Amino acid sequence: EECCGACEERASVVDERFDLVVLATGSALSPCDHPLMQHIALQWGLPTHSGLPVLSDGLRWGASPVYCTGAAATLAIGVDASNLSGAREAGLRIANDILGQC
């Protein structure tokens, strides 16, 4: 099957540069109990609720340059946040937010 070209067009639209990307998995029920999450929350003064980060619809944590997925996105995504369906939803939301399409 031939590609319609849309995927190549989308791939060439974004040319972002990042200083740091942290990818972490886990299923902790209170992600904000982790030292890295605590440090980020304190450094940026970010909101939490019951040990979870309070995220935008695009899964951005407050005004910080931090996006959350997995258990950390439970308040925004719901019970599927920690499974494959939630990972897919999180990826779409973050990509749309970064591209300004959210």
Side-chain angles (χ1 to χ4, degrees):
E1 184 175 322
E2 289 187 36
C3 179
C4 65
C7 50
E8 286 90 3
E9 184 179 324
R10 280 193 302 262
S12 66
V13 171
V14 178
D15 184 17
E16 296 285 337
R17 303 279 193 265
F18 299 94
D19 294 325
L20 176 68
V21 175
V22 176
L23 303 173
T25 60
S27 58
L29 296 179
S30 296
C32 288
D33 288 343
H34 189 279
L36 176 62
M37 297 289 278
Q38 290 176 347
H39 175 76
I40 292 169
L42 288 173
Q43 179 180 357
W44 288 85
L46 300 173
T48 61
H49 179 73
S50 298
L52 296 168
V54 177
L55 308 175
S56 70
D57 288 339
L59 303 184
R60 189 171 189 160
W61 195 3
S64 76
V66 175
Y67 290 87
C68 296
T69 65
T74 298
L75 293 177
I77 292 181
V79 296
D80 284 341
S82 293
N83 65 32
L84 288 175
S85 176
R88 181 179 182 278
E89 176 70 21
L92 289 171
R93 288 189 189 198
I94 292 169
N96 286 335
D97 193 73
I98 289 171
L99 294 172
Q101 299 172 0
C102 195

